[in-house]
Amino acid sequence: MSVSTAIKQRVTKLREEINHHNYLYYVQDAPEIPDSEYDRLLRELQQLEQQHPELIVPESPTQRVGATPLSEFAEVRHRVPMLSLNNAFEAQEVEDFDRRARDRLAVKEIVYTAEPKLDGLAISLLYEDGVLVRGATRGDGATGEDVTQNVRTIDSIPLKLVGRNFPRVLEVRGEVIMTKSGFEKLNQTQRDKDEKTFANPRNAAAGSLRQLDSRITAARPLSFYAYAVGVAEDGELAKTQFQLLAQLRQWGLRTNPEIKRVKGVRGCLDYYHAIAEKRNRLDYDIDGVVYKVDELAQQAQLGFVSRAPRWAVAHKFAAQEEMTKLVAIEVQVGRTGALTPVARLEPVFVGGVTVTNATLHNQDEIERKDIRIGDTVIVRRAGDVIPEVVSAVVSRRPKGTKKFVMPDKCPVCGSEVIRLENEAVARCTGGLFCAAQRKQAIKHFAARRAMDIEGLGDKLVEQLVDQDMIHDVADLYKLSVAELAEMERMGEKSAQNIVDALEKSKATTLPRFLFALGIRQVGETTARTLAQHFGNLDAIMHASEAGLEAVQDVGPVVAESIAHFFHEPHNRKVIQKLRHAGVHWPDIEVSPAQELPLAGKTFVITGTLESMSRDEAKEKLEQLGGKVSGSVSKKTDYVIVGESPGSKAAKAEALGVAMLDEQAFLKLLGHS
Ligand code: IVH
């Protein structure tokens, strides 16, 4: 039976498109479409070729791993090809994989090593007599690029192995990644320098590693995890993947702390769910997990099929990036008057939910990324983070797209919009005259961590402002049950509940009240420090900027903002009205900082903590008078080391700074 022209044309078209995206991804480090879309194209081609094997040609993208390397780096031929992994998306596919492997091995159950699938780029490191002599990218799997000078700059890659019983020739493989925190910092620096930002940590890692000038690489926060051995000569290797990783660690190579040995398909799937749950707390991106048959002898028995091993499979998470159409750009006005451009999207399922709106951050970002109304865009939703538009797919740009212009009048109140020099955001100058800002200010005031007014939801606040029933937060305390009961979707009972909640909220604390006022630059932590420093509201209201700057962590910008707020007659009047309405709090006995148990001590936190986020840890330490710094120096008193610590732990070790593991840290908090 001959294949129809339509199918032949589709196959040709798919190959061209995949080749183009391969080139963008591998050679240019500038992919235009998300991996999920690429996978779909490849899967479609694979399916068509499976149905019509006579169409398969050696140069089809299904028949090789990647694209040709750039000419600027020397070529490296891999003695053992660097292969790829087959993907599984559903549990069923993992079960099929396991069943096939069991059948071939004729065993009842297989032990696997389960590993996170790190979202970086594969690298080969060659050690001769324990000395790093070459680093190479994977390239197309057969030939990669010599990036020795660059890998030498990565802290987590040892230039010399430790111990002595390693093979004379050892080729280690692993993943070069950029941490999420390192990525955020890098992009901030790029923005400050008015240079191009990276779309995600993977692109940033790839772009950093493939720099012809290794000094640039050295300035980038790259790290490395080893996960395999390519070549080993004159030396004994362990008998299982799990032990092999332990051996690599002994030789000084970093392996991922989440790696576990599991039994059977049940163990694999449990691992998958545990890692999926933990994913957002890890400081690096992963796009799934990898199951590898643990026994190396069994691996050898299973072997390879075309480009991937039969003894391993990548179990991928739902994509966090998808493509959709940007229908319109609207402008939202925040509590502080900041105007945020928001993308209205054709609904798209990404990161496990349907997304219709995504932030575009600010005008500069839109211009830098050249995103236009009508574009096809890539939307990213990672964990509980607000979805964002990452980039436009320029190759799919239709005719008639429109550039976005920030309005010069506030879309809510019509006041003038200004943008201060050195500030990325445009702001409405309407202040509390602007209904949008008033609504946000009131919602913030009522929030759980502020005045904690239960039942006063966003919808109700909006109605109250729209119907001119409240002008400022103090007006809330004048609302009657009868008035509230009139509102949409309210009854006598819920109205009564809100009045009760308002009554209850009157007894508050000074830190909460300060935070609730919504002073710019004053978050919960600063509110607490201010309260502890001054003890009562009048002292804060009358403090000079210099007096405010004497407070720990209050700099000139924050001090100015606080002083400005209390100088404003309108704000003073609202505070007076609130006190009049009966809002009250106990004053705080001022405890001089040196009396706090950790006063004068400086801490640095590195790695991931099990029991709390880094922010929470910082807050706890500060409450006890400690100072938390971002970098280790001789002045550091303690480094708190969580899981997968960064180079800070090594630096602390080198400087002889005391280190606390999580247990010791919790103990310190408890005892202080
Ligand atoms: S093992 C023959 N283990 O995934 C098996 N790969 O799709 C070779 N990757 O090129 C790879 N984490 O860049 C392996 N724990 C892990 C991995 C991992 C990420 C990447 C690697 C590789 C690609 C294969």
Side-chain angles (χ1 to χ4, degrees):
M1 195 178 69
S2 86
V3 184
S4 81
T5 323
I7 289 177
K8 280 186 195 158
Q9 277 173 351
R10 181 69 192 147
V11 165
T12 311
K13 178 98 189 28
L14 280 168
R15 284 181 186 153
E16 275 169 10
E17 218 173 307
I18 293 168
N19 281 338
H20 175 65
H21 291 302
N22 258 341
Y23 171 78
L24 291 179
Y25 189 89
Y26 285 107
V27 182
Q28 301 279 16
D29 286 333
E32 258 188 13
I33 56 171
D35 291 356
S36 51
E37 176 70 9
Y38 180 87
D39 286 345
R40 262 195 293 274
L41 295 173
L42 197 66
R43 277 197 163 202
E44 189 186 341
L45 180 59
Q46 275 167 342
Q47 261 163 21
L48 286 175
E49 286 183 349
Q50 224 164 41
Q51 286 157 11
H52 311 283
E54 62 271 41
L55 292 183
I56 298 180
V57 291
E59 66 269 26
S60 171
T62 57
Q63 308 297 304
R64 60 173 184 148
V65 198
T68 19
L70 281 176
S71 52
E72 289 98 325
F73 289 107
E75 283 196 350
V76 171
R77 262 204 93 72
H78 299 298
R79 272 177 57 190
V80 177
M82 291 182 79
L83 296 155
S84 165
L85 292 166
N86 285 325
N87 289 333
F89 292 92
E90 308 292 334
Q92 184 59 53
E93 293 171 270
V94 178
E95 277 161 22
D96 293 346
F97 157 81
D98 173 67
R99 188 177 25 74
R100 284 194 300 269
R102 277 188 290 114
D103 288 351
R104 278 187 176 262
L105 295 171
V107 294
K108 272 223 187 74
E109 186 179 72
I110 295 177
V111 174
Y112 292 97
T113 288
E115 311 179 0
K117 187 167 191 304
L118 306 164
D119 203 2
L121 56 154
I123 196 99
S124 144
L125 302 172
L126 185 63
Y127 289 90
E128 285 177 5
D129 296 312
V131 177
L132 176 67
V133 293
R134 199 195 64 202
T137 62
R138 172 171 126 185
D140 63 5
T143 311
E145 291 169 339
D146 189 326
V147 288
T148 311
Q149 289 310 317
N150 295 347
V151 300
R152 283 177 66 93
T153 68
I154 301 175
D155 289 344
S156 37
I157 296 181
L159 297 178
K160 223 178 150 207
L161 298 181
V162 294
R164 45 185 81 250
N165 55 352
F166 45 74
R168 193 182 58 75
V169 177
L170 179 70
E171 191 222 336
V172 178
R173 291 170 178 187
E175 199 85 349
V176 169
I177 56 144
M178 189 175 287
T179 58
K180 296 180 194 169
S181 46
F183 164 75
E184 295 299 340
K185 264 195 220 141
L186 172 62
N187 264 357
Q188 192 51 53
T189 325
Q190 296 288 105
R191 269 192 288 270
D192 292 346
K193 289 193 294 188
D194 240 346
E195 280 174 25
K196 151 178 173 285
T197 54
F198 296 95
N200 56 46
R202 202 210 72 85
N203 286 1
S208 302
L209 191 68
R210 293 174 71 259
Q211 285 286 339
L212 289 165
D213 180 354
S214 62
R215 282 173 305 182
I216 300 180
T217 314
R220 301 279 171 83
L222 295 174
S223 21
F224 170 78
Y225 289 110
Y227 52 64
V229 167
V231 176
E233 277 174 16
D234 304 333
E236 281 284 296
L237 284 189
K239 300 271 179 279
T240 69
Q241 166 72 5
F242 199 74
Q243 285 163 0
L244 181 66
L245 294 174
Q247 223 170 14
L248 291 177
R249 275 195 296 279
Q250 272 180 8
W251 296 335
L253 292 149
R254 188 156 84 135
T255 64
N256 189 279
E258 309 297 334
I259 296 175
K260 291 212 160 60
R261 187 153 31 190
V262 300
K263 271 191 184 172
V265 81
R266 195 63 267 149
C268 289
L269 297 178
D270 286 347
Y271 179 82
Y272 175 86
H273 293 300
I275 293 291
E277 194 276 320
K278 204 171 174 179
R279 180 182 191 185
N280 295 326
R281 298 198 299 279
L282 299 174
D283 193 23
Y284 45 83
D285 275 346
I286 60 177
D287 56 351
V289 298
V290 185
Y291 312 126
K292 300 176 181 173
V293 170
D294 195 36
E295 291 281 348
L296 299 187
Q298 290 183 332
Q299 286 189 5
Q301 213 178 321
L302 288 165
F304 297 83
V305 54
S306 72
R307 62 182 193 128
R310 278 201 199 91
W311 45 262
V313 71
H315 190 180
K316 304 266 287 242
F317 297 137
Q320 291 191 318
E321 286 186 2
E322 281 292 353
M323 233 166 52
T324 188
K325 198 171 152 187
L326 196 170
V327 181
I329 298 179
E330 283 170 18
V331 172
Q332 273 178 2
V333 187
R335 177 166 64 86
T336 58
L339 265 51
T340 309
V342 177
R344 301 279 175 244
L345 307 167
E346 265 176 18
V348 59
F349 192 73
V350 52
V353 300
T354 301
V355 169
T356 48
N357 301 320
T359 180
L360 286 157
H361 301 292
N362 55 57
Q363 182 159 14
D364 287 354
E365 282 288 304
I366 298 178
E367 280 166 19
R368 218 189 328 260
K369 294 174 177 169
D370 187 23
I371 293 169
R372 305 187 196 167
I373 301 158
D375 262 340
T376 294
V377 293
I378 294 173
V379 178
R380 181 175 171 82
R381 180 187 179 270
D384 297 329
V385 184
I386 302 169
E388 61 166 349
V389 176
V390 177
S391 58
V393 183
V394 180
S395 65
R396 296 204 183 176
R397 175 167 288 163
K399 287 217 175 70
T401 55
K402 278 217 297 261
K403 288 201 177 173
F404 167 75
V405 213
M406 187 60 91
D408 52 8
K409 294 273 185 294
C410 172
V412 175
C413 72
S415 300
E416 201 190 336
V417 168
I418 55 155
R419 197 175 145 184
L420 297 180
E421 234 179 297
N422 306 328
E423 264 208 57
V425 285
R427 284 179 203 284
C428 159
T429 51
L432 291 178
F433 167 74
C434 177
Q437 292 182 60
R438 231 181 310 147
K439 284 178 190 170
Q440 295 304 327
I442 295 167
K443 287 178 197 172
H444 172 80
F445 183 82
R448 193 171 50 80
R449 308 173 79 139
M451 297 298 280
D452 193 15
I453 307 170
E454 228 176 292
L456 190 71
D458 291 359
K459 284 271 168 323
L460 183 58
V461 171
E462 278 162 28
Q463 282 184 65
L464 290 168
V465 173
D466 287 341
Q467 298 182 23
D468 242 4
M469 291 174 64
I470 46 177
H471 286 97
D472 58 44
V473 292
D475 290 343
L476 283 171
Y477 293 99
K478 292 195 194 135
L479 291 168
S480 67
V481 176
E483 275 175 312
L484 282 165
E486 290 287 295
M487 313 302 293
E488 250 172 66
R489 268 176 292 148
M490 287 284 280
E492 191 81 17
K493 180 121 192 287
S494 27
Q496 183 63 54
N497 287 344
I498 289 173
V499 170
D500 292 347
L502 278 161
E503 193 56 37
K504 194 173 139 208
S505 77
K506 287 181 183 170
T508 185
T509 67
L510 182 53
R512 269 179 183 276
F513 183 74
L514 275 174
F515 174 59
L517 291 175
I519 307 166
R520 267 177 77 186
Q521 313 278 356
V522 179
E524 272 184 289
T525 312
T526 308
R528 193 174 320 104
T529 344
L530 281 171
Q532 270 161 3
H533 184 98
F534 289 100
N536 66 75
L537 184 64
D538 289 322
I540 301 171
M541 288 178 74
H542 295 119
S544 65
E545 282 183 39
L548 289 162
E549 276 188 61
V551 180
Q552 200 190 10
D553 288 334
V554 173
V557 177
V558 183
E560 190 193 334
S561 169
I562 299 168
H564 188 86
F565 181 91
F566 289 117
H567 190 74
E568 183 64 53
H570 170 85
N571 292 334
R572 285 213 298 266
K573 207 171 129 206
V574 172
I575 291 171
Q576 206 186 9
K577 272 168 75 181
L578 284 166
R579 282 175 143 167
H580 220 79
V583 174
H584 65 281
W585 54 86
D587 286 347
I588 296 174
E589 212 178 300
V590 182
S591 64
Q594 51 270 32
E595 277 178 20
L596 290 170
L598 300 181
K601 296 274 182 264
T602 304
F603 295 80
V604 171
I605 310 170
T606 178
T608 315
L609 298 173
E610 281 271 327
S611 53
M612 63 186 91
S613 73
R614 278 204 225 183
D615 282 343
E616 286 168 321
K618 178 164 184 263
E619 204 176 306
K620 293 217 155 94
L621 288 166
E622 284 172 353
Q623 276 173 18
L624 297 169
K627 241 187 97 171
V628 178
S629 157
S631 58
V632 181
S633 75
K634 274 193 230 137
K635 289 189 196 142
T636 312
D637 293 288
Y638 296 99
V639 173
I640 295 160
V641 185
E643 266 188 72
S644 16
S647 57
K648 287 171 193 163
K651 183 145 182 214
E653 184 123 48
L655 292 175
V657 175
M659 292 199 269
L660 301 176
D661 62 12
E662 184 156 359
Q663 283 250 290
F665 165 59
L666 291 176
K667 228 166 159 180
L668 179 81
L669 290 183
H671 284 184
S672 298

